[in-house]
Amino acid sequence: MARYTGFSTNGYEMNGTSFKIHDVPLIAHDLTNEIYTSIGEKIHQIDYGTRIPIMTFELGDETSRQVILDDVTNVISHVPRVRLDEIDMVELDDHTWVCVAKVYYIEFNVVDDLYINF
């Protein structure tokens, strides 16, 4: 029996069975939703979201890298269902970074990597 049940259209074309997602994939989806939401975008929750979506065309310097790491760390740290074990940024090319966060899903006793592309 699933503890958490949600809805997502991501990946529907690949599995084609249902829009429902459960438990660990749902929590990961919730985390990425907040990370990709601009701060102040959500009505009545001005502190929800990050600065990351508005940094699309920023320079790929150490300051931008630190803002991304700080915002991802902040999102994960305030969610009581998870704990951040490690976080790092990998530069794929001049225009693409990937944030790799090793996340421990407390209720499920599962550790998984969360990949966030920028």
Side-chain angles (χ1 to χ4, degrees):
M1 181 83 180
R3 291 185 191 173
Y4 303 106
T5 300
F7 173 88
S8 175
T9 58
N10 291 346
Y12 179 76
E13 294 82 20
M14 290 188 304
N15 63 23
T17 56
S18 174
F19 289 114
K20 289 184 182 180
I21 56 176
H22 306 281
D23 299 335
V24 171
L26 176 63
I27 297 169
H29 183 71
D30 290 347
L31 291 171
T32 55
N33 274 349
E34 184 169 354
I35 290 166
Y36 288 128
T37 300
S38 295
I39 195 160
E41 183 178 344
K42 191 168 182 184
I43 297 174
H44 302 296
Q45 291 186 350
I46 60 171
D47 294 332
Y48 183 89
T50 66
R51 299 169 285 180
I52 295 167
I54 61 174
M55 295 179 59
T56 303
F57 298 104
E58 293 292 322
L59 298 172
D61 59 2
E62 186 58 34
T63 303
S64 299
R65 180 181 184 277
Q66 195 58 52
V67 165
I68 291 170
L69 288 172
D70 290 347
D71 280 9
V72 171
T73 301
N74 184 43
V75 166
I76 295 172
S77 68
H78 82 265
V79 176
R81 301 180 286 179
V82 297
R83 181 184 74 221
L84 179 63
D85 286 348
E86 286 181 46
I87 189 167
D88 196 16
M89 292 282 291
V90 178
E91 187 174 354
L92 296 181
D93 57 40
D94 291 339
H95 306 289
T96 308
W97 288 351
V98 176
C99 179
V100 182
K102 187 171 291 297
V103 178
Y104 174 67
Y105 297 87
I106 297 167
E107 293 175 84
F108 303 99
N109 197 28
V110 171
V111 176
D112 196 16
D113 289 335
L114 182 65
Y115 296 96
I116 306 152
N117 296 315
F118 304 102

